């Protein structure tokens, strides 16, 4: 989606080996680092206008154990914050499953939002359904957007299109 909007993906980090081949097929010119983000020095990440990411959702999923921030994967949000603090891009986008908004995760979610704010970002979040934005799937995700405070941006989420574009035309 970001490439369709005119951005170029120059660097990526993915620890899950089952994703590597598909990622490299779709982004052949992008550097893919396969170490855990915990072991990635921010200095090795190229400077960019924005950083997009989605720390693992298993910790927050309604279908999972729901350990949230008490799970090692849930704590990876703080690695995302570390990279943002070190790199200081103009913006970031983080996404995760709707389960992160469950009452049992409220304290942790608020702490994550506060962390983004405390490192210099104005932050907005919303639960959005991809099907409302011309994406042919019914998928709810929490989208967190932050802009560096010095840019004085007041972000507004786009209005839902409520129109799904067909994947292909059909003939009767």
């Amino acid at each position: 989606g970001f490439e369709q909007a005119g951005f170029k993906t120059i660097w990526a980090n993915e620890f899950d080996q089952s994703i590597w081949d598909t990622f490299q097929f779709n982004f052949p010119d992008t550097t893919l680092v396969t170490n855990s983000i915990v072991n990635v020095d921010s200095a090795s990440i190229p400077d960019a206008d924005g950083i997009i990411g989605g720390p693992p959702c298993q910790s927050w999923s309604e279908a999972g154990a729901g350990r949230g921030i008490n799970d090692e994967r849930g704590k990876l949000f703080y690695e995302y914050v570390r990279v943002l603090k070190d790199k200081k891009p103009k913006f970031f986008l983080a996404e995760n499953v709707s389960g992160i908004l469950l009452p049992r995760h409220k304290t942790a979610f608020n702490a994550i939002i506060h962390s983004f704010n405390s490192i210099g970002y104005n932050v907005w979040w919303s639960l959005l359904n991809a099907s409302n934005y011309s994406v042919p799937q019914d998928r709810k995700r929490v989208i967190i957007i932050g802009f560096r405070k010095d840019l004085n941006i007041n972000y507004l989420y786009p209005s839902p299109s409520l129109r799904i574009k067909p994947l292909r035309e059909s003939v009767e």
Side-chain angles (χ1 to χ4, degrees), residues 12-146:
N13 173 242
E14 178 55 64
F15 187 62
D16 184 346
Q17 185 176 1
S18 69
I19 295 171
W20 297 347
D21 289 341
T22 302
F23 184 89
Q24 290 177 318
F25 178 81
N26 288 314
F27 298 93
D29 298 325
T30 300
T31 299
L32 176 62
V33 174
T34 58
N35 297 334
S36 168
I37 193 66
V38 172
N39 300 318
V40 174
D41 183 357
S42 298
S44 70
I45 301 172
D47 291 334
D49 287 336
I51 295 179
I52 57 176
C57 63
Q58 296 94 330
S59 306
W60 312 101
S61 175
E62 294 179 66
R67 291 188 300 254
I69 207 71
N70 296 319
D71 183 285
E72 289 305 311
R73 295 168 297 189
K75 291 178 180 154
L76 291 177
F77 256 110
Y78 293 113
E79 293 297 320
Y80 192 68
V81 170
R82 171 186 61 87
V83 171
L84 290 171
K85 182 179 179 183
D86 294 347
K87 300 308 292 183
K88 297 178 179 52
K90 293 177 184 173
F91 73 91
F92 74 87
L93 181 144
E95 69 87 27
N96 216 284
V97 295
S98 60
I100 200 168
L101 298 177
L102 291 173
R104 70 176 173 249
H105 300 308
K106 182 177 182 176
T107 300
F109 183 72
N110 287 340
I112 290 166
I113 298 300
H114 175 74
S115 293
F116 290 136
N117 192 270
S118 71
I119 62 167
Y121 288 88
N122 289 320
V123 181
W124 296 264
W125 65 269
S126 187
L127 178 63
L128 304 176
N129 191 329
S131 68
N132 293 334
Y133 295 90
S134 300
V135 176
Q137 53 183 259
D138 186 23
R139 186 177 200 139
K140 293 179 181 173
R141 290 292 183 263
V142 175
I143 305 296
I144 306 166
I145 302 214

Side-chain angles (χ1 to χ4, degrees), residues 157-170:
Y157 284 87
S159 296
S161 64
L162 300 177
R163 191 174 132 254
I164 307 263
K165 294 180 183 175
L167 291 176
R168 61 183 172 84
E169 299 295 327
S170 60

